[in-house]
Amino acid sequence: MDLPGPRWKKGKDGKDFSALAAANPMSVIVAELKASFISSKPVAVLPGPGGGAILGVEPEQAVILNRAAFGHAVEIAAAQKHWFQLSPEEVFYLCHVLNCIRVESHDKKQMSDKQLWNHFRSMSESFPEMYKAYSHLRFKNWVVWSDLLCALRASGSVAKTLLVLTISSGSCELSSPDCLEQLVVHERTITRWIPQQRREQRSEASRDEANREELISKKESVEFNLWGVILGFSVLSSLLVYKLKFRQ
């Protein structure tokens, strides 16, 4: 499903956000994050608030983590590293897809992808569907909103479009990450209802319908006139033949 392009606004300082986004595509930022993390593979520790994890990174890595819109910075007293709270979906994406972090349990044991999957499933039964939705949007280089209420408020009071995803699992087994290939994502958009805009659309639809009826009428008229000419020509030909025979 192709969504309409974003409507960019200028900032208070006159900055063109459209040009800024074009100059800093999310795909490039995420690639930079992976390149920065891949050698050191910082460690995310379970369990974090909300069932996620806490990730400790170096100052320069914290900058790119913010740019890539992963996690929320948290303050820890006397900490030399920068710490980020990651959601379960973010943890699994960084570990399973980007393969740029390590995840440890509270007793310092490193967890495999399968163990991590089972852990998050035990914390939330809907984790497979939630992660599929998250990764679906991340693969499109979109920044996910983690708060549904925020999205609902935005779509109801300002010119925003709310995207609703429905995940179909069918009869596939959700016991391992292998099921992700079988989950199907359906997209639906919800836009703000604007009375004036609806009236204009109805007026345009009425005009289009009137123009369509007029074209059909003209076409039928042309076809009728054409058949009249053909019929008249046939009658005239018959009369000429009759007169010729009569004269003979």
Side-chain angles (χ1 to χ4, degrees), residues 8-9 11 13 15-26 29 67:
W8 296 99
K9 296 182 180 179
D13 54 359
K15 287 185 178 179
D16 186 350
F17 290 117
S18 175
L20 184 63
N24 299 274
M26 183 56 70
I29 296 174
R67 291 179 61 212

Side-chain angles (χ1 to χ4, degrees), residues 47-63:
I54 297 294
L55 176 68
V57 296
E58 300 298 328
E60 63 275 8
Q61 293 175 326
V63 173

Side-chain angles (χ1 to χ4, degrees), residues 175-225:
S175 59
S176 76
D178 296 336
C179 72
L180 292 170
E181 296 297 326
Q182 302 177 50
L183 297 180
V184 180
V185 180
H186 306 278
E187 296 182 352
R188 178 177 296 177
T189 57
I190 299 176
T191 55
R192 186 176 62 159
W193 184 74
I194 304 175
Q196 178 61 30
Q197 184 178 353
R198 297 302 180 188
R199 284 196 293 269
E200 291 175 356
Q201 290 176 348
R202 282 198 295 267
S203 298
E204 291 178 0
S206 299
R207 287 195 297 269
D208 292 342
E209 183 64 25
N211 292 336
R212 190 158 49 247
E213 291 179 355
E214 184 178 356
L215 288 174
I216 294 173
S217 177
K218 287 181 179 180
K219 182 179 178 181
E220 291 176 348
S221 177
V222 170
E223 290 178 351
F224 177 78
N225 292 336

Side-chain angles (χ1 to χ4, degrees), residues 5-151:
R7 292 170 290 181
W8 296 99
K9 296 182 180 179
K10 290 187 178 293
K12 294 181 180 179
D13 54 359
K15 287 185 178 179
D16 186 350
F17 290 117
S18 175
L20 184 63
N24 299 274
M26 183 56 70
S27 58
V28 173
I29 296 174
V30 172
E32 291 176 0
L33 181 144
K34 182 176 180 178
S36 175
F37 281 33
I38 199 71
S39 58
S40 61
K41 279 202 172 181
V43 177
V45 181
L46 298 173
I54 297 294
L55 176 68
V57 296
E58 300 298 328
E60 63 275 8
Q61 293 175 326
V63 173
I64 194 169
L65 199 62
N66 269 322
R67 291 179 61 212
F70 282 102
H72 301 281
V74 294
E75 296 291 337
I76 297 181
Q80 295 181 349
K81 290 187 175 182
H82 290 251
W83 295 89
F84 284 78
Q85 175 186 334
L86 302 175
S87 69
E89 294 78 21
E90 290 173 324
V91 174
F92 199 77
Y93 189 85
L94 289 169
C95 182
H96 179 69
V97 177
L98 298 185
N99 191 27
C100 64
I101 68 170
R102 291 172 292 158
V103 182
E104 293 182 353
S105 60
H106 65 280
D107 55 358
K108 303 298 182 182
K109 291 183 179 179
Q110 186 169 336
M111 303 186 70
S112 65
D113 287 0
K114 179 65 181 300
Q115 291 173 327
L116 196 57
W117 179 269
N118 291 335
H119 170 76
F120 287 140
R121 278 195 70 209
S122 68
M123 300 292 291
S124 173
E125 188 177 343
S126 63
F127 172 74
E129 291 83 3
M130 293 294 289
Y131 175 75
K132 179 64 178 183
Y134 177 88
S135 60
H136 173 80
L137 298 177
R138 271 291 181 180
F139 283 138
K140 291 188 172 186
N141 296 311
W142 290 1
V143 175
V144 182
W145 286 35
S146 59
D147 190 350
L148 179 61
L149 293 178
C150 183

